[in-house]
Amino acid sequence: TLQKEWVQIGNDLEQKIKIDLLEKDNYRLREILDLKTFSSENKVSAAVISRNTDGWWQQLELNKGINNGIEIGDSVIAPGGLIGVIHSVTPTTSRVKLITAPGNKVGVWIERVRHHGILIGMGTNRVKLSFLSKETQAQVGDLVSTSPASTITPPNLPVGIIQSIDLDSAAVPFAIVQLIAFPNAIDWVQVIKS
């Protein structure tokens, strides 16, 4: 029976190694596909032509629209990472709903600990990160990016850095994330066409 246990342990270890290798290969292939996804053919540069000074955290208006191939649901990035999603379009303009808009939600990923979460806009240049379980090994300083499983935004776009974590919350723990890009300071963006 001892020999049978050794065989089982060896088999279990082999399966774990195979799974780890497949996960790493999957991640590498996703990165290769992302390079193709974010080619210059799939991006449109646009200038910010209007913003509400009283509500800068809610939306931006851009100088490009349907005539440039921009559609509702396209992701919008600025230097530093994701800032929002196209909310409405005209032939020559488009409106961006920022991830900082109160109640706006984006699925995210913390690569170092391989955990998913949901970013929730709070009307400031910081957003709330709600973890999906009570167990998290996330730390201050961890990078937050768009989820590899997202169907709304392209995967692995940088979003922000965890600034603080509240593990004592009555429900699930949450963190405050500082965005890498500053929506209130940018004057141009790139739209990633779906």
Side-chain angles (χ1 to χ4, degrees):
T1 60
L2 186 57
Q3 184 178 7
K4 187 177 180 182
E5 287 178 13
W6 287 345
V7 169
Q8 186 61 47
I9 289 169
N11 189 44
D12 291 348
L13 188 56
E14 179 187 4
Q15 294 304 315
K16 183 183 181 316
I17 291 168
K18 283 182 179 177
I19 290 170
D20 288 345
L21 290 172
L22 285 171
E23 283 179 350
K24 287 177 184 169
D25 198 44
N26 185 22
Y27 186 75
R28 183 183 62 78
L29 291 171
R30 279 183 180 275
E31 286 184 321
I32 291 168
L33 289 172
D34 287 346
L35 292 176
K36 183 178 178 184
T37 301
F38 303 148
S39 70
S40 58
E41 296 172 4
N42 290 354
K43 286 182 184 175
V44 175
S45 293
V48 176
I49 57 173
S50 174
R51 66 174 46 127
N52 182 341
T53 54
D54 292 333
W56 63 261
W57 56 81
Q58 295 192 45
Q59 66 186 28
L60 300 173
E61 191 159 334
L62 308 179
N63 70 340
K64 303 231 174 122
I66 294 168
N67 293 347
N68 305 96
I70 294 175
E71 299 178 355
I72 292 172
D74 289 348
S75 295
V76 180
I77 58 174
L82 181 74
I83 61 163
V85 174
I86 298 294
H87 183 64
S88 63
V89 289
T90 72
T92 57
T93 65
S94 52
R95 192 163 285 164
V96 181
K97 183 175 184 181
L98 298 170
I99 60 176
T100 50
N104 197 13
K105 296 180 181 178
V106 176
V108 292
W109 174 248
I110 304 151
E111 170 61 29
R112 189 185 64 78
V113 294
R114 298 185 172 274
H115 277 207
H116 288 276
I118 298 173
L119 277 189
I120 303 168
M122 302 191 304
T124 70
N125 63 347
R126 295 183 178 190
V127 288
K128 182 178 179 178
L129 168 56
S130 180
F131 296 104
L132 298 182
S133 72
K134 282 196 156 293
E135 302 299 322
T136 181
Q137 301 299 316
Q139 297 174 355
V140 169
D142 280 346
L143 173 67
V144 177
S145 60
T146 55
S147 171
S150 176
T151 57
I152 298 171
T153 59
N156 306 317
L157 293 174
V159 177
I161 305 291
I162 293 180
Q163 295 289 301
S164 64
I165 300 176
D166 183 346
L167 297 173
D168 300 322
S169 175
V172 292
F174 69 88
I176 300 301
V177 173
Q178 173 68 58
L179 297 183
I180 299 171
F182 289 87
N184 58 322
I186 56 155
D187 55 9
W188 68 273
V189 299
Q190 287 190 311
V191 179
I192 301 174
K193 295 190 283 185
S194 299

